[in-house]
Amino acid sequence: MQHELFFQNPIFRKGLNVSVRNGEKWMNANIGDELLIKETDKDQTIAYGTLVGKALLPANLIPKSLLKHEHDPSCRNLAGLLSEMHRVYSDFQENNLVTVLFINLKIAPTADG
């Protein structure tokens, strides 16, 4: 299956990337699904990826070992991630359930290495 995945800050690493999504919606995606990576409010696909893993847990319990793969450098620690989640989701609470997506990028013209 194919899904569109939107990013407000479309900065990526080569290879494995983590993206944290508020809620459980993305738990419906299956390992192996293709992801069309797009910038929020734009229709152009800027990268392609494959979903290689997912986890559902409270945001404030995401381990550092997962955040080191976060696509956005400002979110590679818990304080930075929680700050960004508050910015993106006005009603976000630190104990909200979030879905951590593990994405293997195939093509990423904006990859930072």
Side-chain angles (χ1 to χ4, degrees), residues 1-3 21 28 31 33 54 56 62 68 78 88:
M1 182 170 246
Q2 195 174 70
H3 307 275
R21 301 292 159 147
N28 295 324
I31 305 303
D33 283 357
K54 59 186 178 177
L56 182 69
I62 299 173
K68 72 180 183 180
L78 192 56
V88 174

Side-chain angles (χ1 to χ4, degrees), residues 24-73:
E24 300 178 41
K25 170 187 163 188
W26 280 95
M27 287 303 290
N28 295 324
N30 295 310
I31 305 303
D33 283 357
E34 183 176 346
L35 303 173
L36 305 176
I37 309 296
K38 299 181 176 192
E39 189 171 352
T40 300
D41 298 326
K42 296 186 180 176
D43 194 43
Q44 181 182 0
T45 299
I46 58 173
Y48 298 88
T50 302
L51 184 64
V52 295
K54 59 186 178 177
L56 182 69
L57 66 161
N60 57 355
L61 296 181
I62 299 173
K64 291 179 189 179
S65 60
L66 298 186
L67 289 179
K68 72 180 183 180
H69 299 289
E70 169 64 39
H71 76 95
D72 182 344

